Amino acid sequence: MVWKWLGALVVFPLQMVYLVAKAAVGLVLPAKLRDLSRENVLITGGGRGIGRQLAREFAERGARKIVLWGRTEKCLKETTEEIRQMGTECHYFLCDVGNREEVYQTAKAVREKVGDITILVNNAAVVHGKSLMDSDDDALLKSQHINTLGQFWTTKAFLPRMLELQNGHIVCLNSVLALSAIPGAIDYCTSKASAFAFMESLTLGLLDCPGVSATTVLPFHTSTEMFQGMRVRFPNLFPPLKPETVARKTVEAVQLNQALLLLPWTMHALVILKSILPQAALDEIYKFSGTYTCMNTFKGRT
């Protein structure tokens, strides 16, 4: 037993060196991308914003079928027609992911009409853009039901079949606000932090499940209607991401089987700074960057 533990202690650091070196080589040499031609992709919140761009990106990269979920039929119908014109089979279903029974019923309808879903993209989200004391209780609950619990229900609906097929991928379109919250969006930041923990636990739980993986995407502020009116102090230094960029990088991460993606890459510095700097120093950074006031002009979707 002692020799077994000693052997493990010797092998473990060698494994770490090998994996780090392998990752470094992957940054330099182009990796083989996953073929999407046999994959059926379901995107929640797929009618507009990042969801619409994700549908376009998966279609351009050869996905077999694309399914869109959302609550606004007009947007879903427009996106579906656009994807069909690109030559990809596309369907849409009205579904509120915050409603557990509705998710399970719609998932059953999807399986009957389209077939098995092999890539699930949890993209649906809402933000109310208010402080805790200014927030309506029902609005706070809505954020948690859609942004967090909705991912529980969709994953429970589709993951079992992925495990049976030994082919599947769960994707979470999260936010860098899961790691670094801002005032004025307490509902959104809380729900995204919860969703991040959900995905971290799920990803670890899938390590021993052949053919099934997960990807968590943490983008910086993206120029969509959802965060309309949000302002950063130095927009030239920290420009908002384009939805097309987030979609392209997300699909690439799926094809590369990448577990975690921070956008842009400079967000890694934020994680490091939060780990080593005292809170007083972080407070000054937040004040200087305009983090404390960025939601003062927030309007959201009109």
Side-chain angles (χ1 to χ4, degrees), residues 32-52:
K32 183 180 179 180
L33 297 178
R34 173 182 180 175
D35 180 19
L36 300 177
S37 62
R38 297 182 179 179
E39 310 298 342
N40 295 338
V41 184
L42 189 150
I43 305 167
T44 66
R48 55 188 171 184
I50 295 175
R52 175 176 288 187

Side-chain angles (χ1 to χ4, degrees), residues 127-144:
V127 58
H128 296 289
K130 295 182 179 180
S131 66
L132 176 63
M133 301 312 297
D134 291 333
S135 297
D136 175 76
D137 289 355
D138 290 336
L140 290 174
L141 283 171
K142 181 179 179 181
S143 297
Q144 309 314 308

Side-chain angles (χ1 to χ4, degrees), residues 212-273:
V212 183
S213 305
T215 295
T216 303
V217 184
L218 302 168
F220 180 61
H221 169 46
T222 307
S223 55
T224 62
E225 288 182 348
M226 191 166 76
F227 273 94
Q228 186 177 352
M230 181 181 176
R231 295 287 183 269
V232 295
R233 186 176 181 184
F234 303 106
N236 292 329
L237 187 60
F238 302 107
L241 294 168
K242 295 180 180 180
E244 297 89 344
T245 301
V246 176
R248 175 170 53 82
K249 292 291 187 180
T250 297
V251 178
E252 283 180 1
V254 171
Q255 291 185 284
L256 292 170
N257 198 25
Q258 185 175 343
L260 181 65
L261 175 64
L262 277 160
L263 293 173
W265 66 269
T266 50
M267 290 298 104
H268 287 277
L270 175 64
V271 177
I272 296 172
L273 290 175

Side-chain angles (χ1 to χ4, degrees), residues 57-91:
E57 193 67 31
F58 273 110
E60 288 178 357
R61 291 174 183 253
R64 181 167 173 255
K65 298 178 184 179
I66 294 177
V67 178
L68 307 176
W69 278 14
R71 296 179 296 160
T72 307
E73 186 168 17
K74 180 177 181 293
C75 296
L76 289 169
K77 190 173 182 179
E78 289 174 354
T79 304
T80 298
E81 290 301 321
E82 181 180 345
I83 300 305
R84 287 174 177 172
Q85 289 177 8
M86 295 173 66
T88 301
E89 183 177 339
C90 187
H91 306 268

Side-chain angles (χ1 to χ4, degrees), residues 18-220:
Y18 166 74
L19 292 173
V20 171
K22 182 179 178 181
V25 171
L27 292 174
V28 179
L29 300 178
K32 183 180 179 180
L33 297 178
R34 173 182 180 175
D35 180 19
L36 300 177
S37 62
R38 297 182 179 179
E39 310 298 342
N40 295 338
V41 184
L42 189 150
I43 305 167
T44 66
R48 55 188 171 184
I50 295 175
R52 175 176 288 187
Q53 295 300 328
L54 282 166
R56 290 172 178 166
E57 193 67 31
F58 273 110
E60 288 178 357
R61 291 174 183 253
R64 181 167 173 255
K65 298 178 184 179
I66 294 177
V67 178
L68 307 176
W69 278 14
R71 296 179 296 160
T72 307
E73 186 168 17
K74 180 177 181 293
C75 296
L76 289 169
K77 190 173 182 179
E78 289 174 354
T79 304
T80 298
E81 290 301 321
E82 181 180 345
I83 300 305
R84 287 174 177 172
Q85 289 177 8
M86 295 173 66
T88 301
E89 183 177 339
C90 187
H91 306 268
Y92 76 86
F93 295 79
L94 287 172
C95 182
D96 178 2
V97 297
N99 185 318
R100 179 183 57 186
E101 293 305 321
E102 191 172 326
V103 167
Y104 293 159
Q105 290 172 7
T106 311
K108 181 180 179 181
V110 168
R111 283 190 290 269
E112 292 174 351
K113 182 176 181 178
V114 182
D116 294 315
I117 296 300
T118 54
I119 298 179
L120 169 64
V121 184
N122 284 312
N123 169 70
V126 295
V127 58
H128 296 289
K130 295 182 179 180
S131 66
L132 176 63
M133 301 312 297
D134 291 333
S135 297
D136 175 76
D137 289 355
D138 290 336
L140 290 174
L141 283 171
K142 181 179 179 181
S143 297
Q144 309 314 308
H145 281 295
I146 293 177
N147 299 3
T148 304
L149 289 175
Q151 300 195 43
F152 281 69
W153 314 143
T154 57
T155 303
K156 286 192 70 178
F158 294 107
L159 181 58
R161 183 56 176 161
M162 293 181 184
L163 295 173
E164 289 179 12
L165 296 172
Q166 294 191 355
N167 177 34
H169 207 110
I170 307 294
V171 185
C172 170
L173 255 294
N174 205 299
S175 168
V176 74
L177 297 182
L179 305 179
S180 183
I182 59 175
I186 194 166
D187 62 315
Y188 186 81
C189 296
T190 302
S191 64
K192 288 300 184 179
S194 299
F196 179 75
F198 167 76
M199 285 299 293
E200 192 168 34
S201 179
L202 179 68
T203 302
L204 291 172
L206 292 174
L207 289 178
D208 293 327
C209 301
V212 183
S213 305
T215 295
T216 303
V217 184
L218 302 168
F220 180 61

